[in-house]
Amino acid sequence: NAGVMQNPRHLVRRRGQEARLRCSPMKGHSHVYWYRQLPEEGLKFMVYLQKENIIDESGMPKERFSAEFPKEGPSILRIQQVVRGDSAAYFCASSPTGTFEKLFFGSGTQLSVL
Amino acid sequence: AQSVTQLGSHVSVSEGALVLLRCNYSSSVPPYLFWYVQYPNQGLQLLLKYTSAATLVKGINGFEAEFKKSETSFHLTKPSAHMSDAAEYFCAVSVPRGNNRLAFGKGNQVVVIP
């Protein structure tokens, strides 16, 4: 059973470009969480999705950021018109039940904005 | 909302010495508590968790933590540090049947001195 897969591992974008981060949850997991990690900071919750539904996006910036988890395919975190402050590690985690006792993290995508 | 505090971002410990990482939580209801470890360029891996069963929890790699309600603490310990324990450690808290987020502390970077 493969773990949570995130790609790309590293993503470099220039200011104003779009960034798309992908997360394939573990098999049988229909709950996906996205977290952002800034240097010297812990992980900050961004969004919680179930298949085809956004359950909680209260941690996501109101503008430029969006997330989806379609019926087929990976979950996507999309950042439009990136700025330098978006540079961070973005982690995806999945769970079969929506609770945190069985939460598994991917290896993250390191986004660098030039 | 629930939160955790981890003091001392960098912790140095001699090989073979006791590892002690402190975590204090804030929660209006009995919480679930977690310790995660992050090795360089990897995602978070669950070390151990407290979910209202035994207050002394044993995890992987010889780590354990004790839930102390009177002190609102969940400190992580390992009797004898190994070089492979060098990593970043995060404490996290969630609320059973509560909101959808796992709240993380800022982390402790552990350095093991030979």
Side-chain angles (χ1 to χ4, degrees):
Chain A
N1 189 5
V4 179
M5 304 300 292
Q6 289 188 251
N7 65 81
R9 288 285 280 123
H10 297 92
L11 182 61
V12 180
R13 285 288 178 266
R14 297 190 181 279
R15 281 178 296 172
Q17 291 183 320
E18 178 179 286
R20 279 182 178 245
L21 288 64
R22 294 175 185 77
C23 169
S24 295
M26 289 180 68
K27 187 177 181 181
H29 289 197
S30 59
H31 301 258
V32 166
Y33 302 81
W34 285 93
Y35 285 81
R36 177 164 61 175
Q37 184 181 30
L38 295 167
E40 306 291 322
E41 296 283 335
L43 278 72
K44 301 294 186 186
F45 168 81
M46 298 184 74
V47 62
Y48 163 41
L49 310 104
Q50 277 185 269
K51 280 287 187 181
E52 300 183 271
N53 292 304
I54 297 174
I55 307 301
D56 181 357
E57 58 182 348
S58 58
M60 202 126 83
K62 293 287 186 288
E63 297 178 354
R64 302 188 298 108
F65 285 71
S66 62
E68 63 177 11
F69 188 16
K71 186 177 180 180
E72 300 292 336
S75 175
I76 305 289
L77 180 67
R78 182 183 178 204
I79 311 172
Q80 296 178 290
Q81 299 175 329
V82 295
V83 300
R84 288 227 173 101
D86 297 332
S87 296
Y90 292 82
F91 288 94
C92 167
S94 74
S95 165
T97 59
T99 60
F100 298 117
E101 298 94 286
K102 295 182 179 180
L103 189 69
F104 295 86
F105 281 84
S107 297
T109 293
Q110 180 65 51
L111 173 64
S112 299
V113 180
L114 304 179
Chain B
Q2 66 273 23
S3 65
V4 294
T5 301
Q6 291 180 253
L7 297 178
S9 60
H10 288 77
V11 175
S12 293
V13 59
S14 297
E15 189 176 14
L18 171 72
V19 179
L20 170 60
L21 302 179
R22 299 180 188 275
C23 173
N24 288 89
Y25 70 89
S26 173
S27 175
S28 58
V29 298
Y32 288 173
L33 293 156
F34 306 81
W35 275 100
Y36 286 87
V37 60
Q38 185 181 28
Y39 297 102
N41 300 314
Q42 294 188 26
L44 276 70
Q45 180 181 357
L46 181 67
L47 269 180
L48 48 79
K49 61 188 177 187
Y50 166 77
T51 55
S52 72
T55 56
L56 182 62
V57 181
K58 294 186 185 299
I60 62 171
N61 302 340
F63 284 93
E64 63 180 39
E66 186 172 8
F67 172 70
K68 291 187 177 180
K69 184 179 178 180
S70 61
E71 298 177 8
T72 60
S73 69
F74 190 57
H75 302 332
L76 181 71
T77 60
K78 181 174 180 177
S80 176
H82 191 271
M83 296 300 293
S84 61
D85 294 326
E88 189 149 22
Y89 293 80
F90 294 96
C91 183
V93 62
S94 73
V95 176
R97 297 178 297 283
N99 58 33
N100 301 303
R101 57 187 63 196
L102 190 59
F104 286 87
K106 291 190 175 183
N108 294 121
Q109 184 68 52
V110 171
V111 175
V112 182
I113 302 167

